[in-house]
Amino acid sequence: MFRLLLQVGFSLFVVLLMMWGLARAMRRPFGKSHHGHLAVLNRQQLSRGAAVAVVRVADRAMVLGVTDQQINYLGEAELGIFAPEPHEHRDHLVIEPTEVLREGETVLPGRHPAAPGPEGHGSILSPKTWTSTLEFLRERTTRR
């Protein structure tokens, strides 16, 4: 009985493994892994079934109107307008502290006023936060 169960389980495992491998093989395109000189540079949805798309074809940027029934050629645009912007690396930025509170503690510029202070005020772990929350709830729920 155990041997039969082991054979059925192993057979099921092999079939599922073959199905997974076939699904992965069918997901990848055969031949080229990219679309060559064709790419959608930008797309703006206008309504539920209509959009305007800018498509790069070789060295041209074509503006197309796309609906559920058809695609219309609207014109051309400069290809340089749709060049991707380089990714900004912020590793080189240095933020100077604006004021020193105590030794080793600083306040950075542009800090949100609701951000927890150096003592942890506003933190979910701060007892002052829980006290002020309870006072607020008591005030809102008392009858006048």
Side-chain angles (χ1 to χ4, degrees):
M1 178 72 175
F2 181 72
R3 184 176 177 165
L4 179 64
L5 186 63
L6 191 63
Q7 284 179 335
V8 170
F10 182 72
S11 300
L12 181 62
F13 176 73
V14 169
V15 169
L16 291 175
L17 186 66
M18 288 173 44
M19 289 174 59
W20 177 78
L22 184 62
R24 279 194 61 125
M26 295 305 290
R27 217 178 302 155
R28 288 190 214 130
F30 295 107
K32 292 185 179 181
S33 61
H34 58 84
H35 300 297
H37 298 287
L38 180 66
V40 177
L41 300 176
N42 203 349
R43 179 182 170 94
Q44 179 64 46
Q45 197 74 25
L46 299 177
S47 68
R48 179 181 246 184
V52 175
V54 180
V55 179
R56 178 176 55 86
V57 179
D59 59 347
R60 296 170 41 191
M62 299 172 60
V63 181
L64 304 174
V66 181
T67 64
D68 292 336
Q69 292 80 23
Q70 62 187 3
I71 298 174
N72 293 326
Y73 174 77
L74 300 178
E76 289 191 20
E78 291 183 29
L79 191 59
I81 296 173
F82 300 100
E85 296 178 10
H87 182 68
E88 180 183 348
H89 295 285
R90 295 182 180 213
D91 296 340
H92 65 282
L93 297 178
V94 177
I95 299 175
E96 296 294 327
T98 55
E99 77 182 78
V100 177
L101 300 175
R102 286 186 235 146
E103 189 66 34
E105 293 181 353
T106 58
V107 176
L108 297 177
R111 189 169 147 228
H112 192 276
E119 293 86 22
H121 294 303
S123 168
I124 196 166
L125 301 176
S126 171
K128 188 172 183 178
T129 302
W130 289 105
T131 306
S132 64
T133 304
L134 285 175
E135 288 174 10
F136 173 77
L137 290 174
R138 280 186 196 125
E139 183 180 313
R140 297 287 292 194
T141 57
T142 57
R143 293 183 187 167
R144 293 181 187 179

